Amino acid sequence: MGNTATVTYGPIFIGAVFNILLYGIMITQTYLYYQTGKRDRLWMKLFVLLLFTADTVNCAFDIAFLYIPLINNFGNDRALTVATWVFATDPVMTGIIAFLVQSFFAWRVKVLTQNYFAVIVILVSSFAQLCGGLGTSIAVGKIPEFVQFQKFQAIVIVWLAFSAVADTIITASLVWHLRRHKTGMPVTDDIVNRIIRLTVQTGLITALCAIIDLVLFLVTPTGLHLIFNLPLSKLYTNSLMSSLNSRQGWKYDTSTGVVSEGRAQARGPQLPRNVNVMRSDQTRRLPQQIYIDVESHEMVDVMDVKGPAYRPDDQKLPSLSERTMNTTGSDEADAV
């Protein structure tokens, strides 16, 4: 085992570097959101601002924690063995940020699936991890020696385990809903599969990081777990921001048949370039777009857009070139 600086502050330094790198990505994501999400409701814009502010404060505290013992107390070996009150803020800040992000995804699950049982489990788990983060910060204040952190294992287990549980349930609920709403049309199922991959990636990254952090904390008395603990809050905010910003990437221009975010890969026979919606009133023809909102993930298939005015006895089913699937994620309470 190396000296105190190597064993404790080596992992802390690496974790802080990852934290700052992810904060840089968060700055870019926030800027992109306010450029592309101008039509979002005010509460969502304020919510993003709150997350960005919390992330900024957390990043400043992590830098201050490195600066105080390594610069202000340079040469003081005692300062390297104890955690200051600045370090104690990290668990509760991470818990607060995770609670905000998980609550947002719980709201999304409620809007999409109407599965109140899953929503309640997510919120209870998220609140439990918030309490665990707060309890961990209090425990660090009472037992500041790094080598004594194993004495409050129970509260750390509550914090990180419930955080992983909430993330897993969120991911499973959204993936289940998306798979149930596939339309059978390759052009849209391909987009749904992309959304599923995005949901799994963003949800499992935070869950996996929390689990690794917990396992390392339990199996080793060194500060190795801090490599995964310090960047955890930034993983939560970046996962949410990537989900919001990805909404701009799932648009189809039906007049050209081109995906706005890149090339559309053909599967089997190519579909017609122009796809029009069948309307009961054909007096006005507005340019149609296929739009999938990642913020809601709600699928509406062809039969849904026909409406009650459509009667098979009165007219033949139009060809594919005469109809479209309007795939739009709508929020029944707060459409954005």
Side-chain angles (χ1 to χ4, degrees):
M1 182 178 293
N3 56 40
T4 304
T6 302
V7 174
T8 302
Y9 278 83
I12 290 176
F13 176 78
I14 297 174
V17 169
F18 283 128
N19 186 293
I20 296 172
L21 288 175
L22 291 172
Y23 178 67
I25 298 175
M26 178 61 181
I27 293 175
T28 303
Q29 296 245 49
T30 304
Y31 173 78
L32 292 176
Y33 171 76
Y34 283 110
Q35 291 296 313
T36 60
K38 296 180 179 180
R39 298 180 61 183
D40 284 353
R41 288 180 176 267
L42 178 62
W43 71 265
M44 186 172 293
K45 296 178 181 178
L46 294 176
F47 180 76
V48 171
L49 179 61
L50 175 62
L51 286 179
F52 180 75
T53 302
D55 247 5
T56 302
V57 173
N58 175 254
C59 189
F61 280 162
D62 287 347
I63 295 175
F65 171 69
L66 283 175
Y67 189 88
I68 292 173
L70 299 181
I71 306 299
N72 291 351
N73 294 302
F74 179 76
N76 183 358
D77 293 339
R78 166 64 180 171
L80 298 177
T81 62
V82 296
T84 64
W85 69 268
V86 180
F87 178 84
T89 63
D90 185 77
V92 67
M93 288 296 300
T94 301
I96 291 173
I97 292 173
F99 177 76
L100 293 174
V101 173
Q102 290 166 347
S103 297
F104 179 87
F105 281 117
W107 167 77
R108 175 180 288 179
V109 171
K110 180 262 178 186
V111 170
L112 291 176
T113 68
Q114 298 298 316
N115 188 341
Y116 290 94
F117 175 77
V119 174
I120 292 174
V121 173
I122 293 170
L123 291 177
V124 170
S125 300
S126 183
F127 183 74
Q129 70 83 27
L130 173 61
C131 294
L134 176 61
T136 302
S137 292
I138 295 174
V140 170
K142 292 184 176 181
I143 309 175
E145 294 80 10
F146 289 112
V147 295
Q148 302 295 327
F149 279 4
Q150 300 293 320
K151 291 184 177 180
F152 48 85
Q153 286 185 353
I155 194 65
V156 176
I157 293 174
V158 171
W159 171 29
L160 297 175
F162 276 104
S163 181
V165 169
D167 295 336
T168 303
I169 296 176
I170 289 170
T171 303
S173 300
L174 293 178
V175 170
W176 171 77
H177 176 78
L178 287 169
R179 291 183 64 86
R180 287 182 62 247
H181 285 78
K182 286 189 176 183
T183 64
M185 297 179 64
V187 68
T188 54
D189 284 352
D190 180 65
I191 302 299
V192 174
N193 290 332
R194 296 186 192 183
I195 301 174
I196 290 176
R197 286 196 296 269
L198 175 66
T199 303
V200 171
Q201 290 168 1
T202 55
L204 291 188
I205 284 177
T206 53
L208 185 61
C209 185
I211 292 173
I212 294 176
D213 181 17
L214 177 60
V215 171
L216 290 177
F217 176 79
L218 295 177
V219 300
T220 175
T222 65
L224 194 60
H225 67 282
L226 295 172
I227 296 178
F228 299 90
N229 184 272
L230 294 179
L232 186 57
S233 62
K234 301 299 183 294
L235 290 177
Y236 276 109
T237 53
N238 275 286
S239 67
L240 174 61
M241 295 307 301
S242 65
S243 177
L244 293 178
N245 289 333
S246 294
R247 294 176 301 170
Q248 302 300 320
W250 310 110
K251 293 182 179 179
Y252 272 80
D253 184 354
T254 55
S255 62
T256 61
V258 177
V259 187
S260 61
E261 57 94 27
R263 293 196 309 269
Q265 298 179 352
R267 290 186 178 180
Q270 292 187 351
L271 294 175
R273 294 167 63 89
N274 294 302
V275 185
N276 300 321
V277 64
M278 189 191 75
R279 308 167 65 94
S280 57
D281 58 322
Q282 299 292 337
T283 58
R284 299 177 59 187
R285 292 181 177 271
L286 299 177
Q288 302 296 325
Q289 286 187 337
I290 297 178
Y291 179 73
I292 294 182
D293 191 343
V294 183
E295 199 269 323
S296 300
H297 309 319
E298 183 169 352
M299 306 294 295
V300 182
D301 61 20
V302 179
M303 297 304 297
D304 293 331
V305 301
K306 291 175 180 177
Y310 174 73
R311 296 190 298 272
D313 298 336
D314 297 340
Q315 51 185 333
K316 298 187 297 180
L317 181 67
S319 63
L320 182 60
S321 62
E322 296 174 342
R323 70 177 188 267
T324 190
M325 183 184 67
N326 179 13
T327 312
T328 166
S330 61
D331 178 356
E332 298 173 0
D334 293 288
V336 294

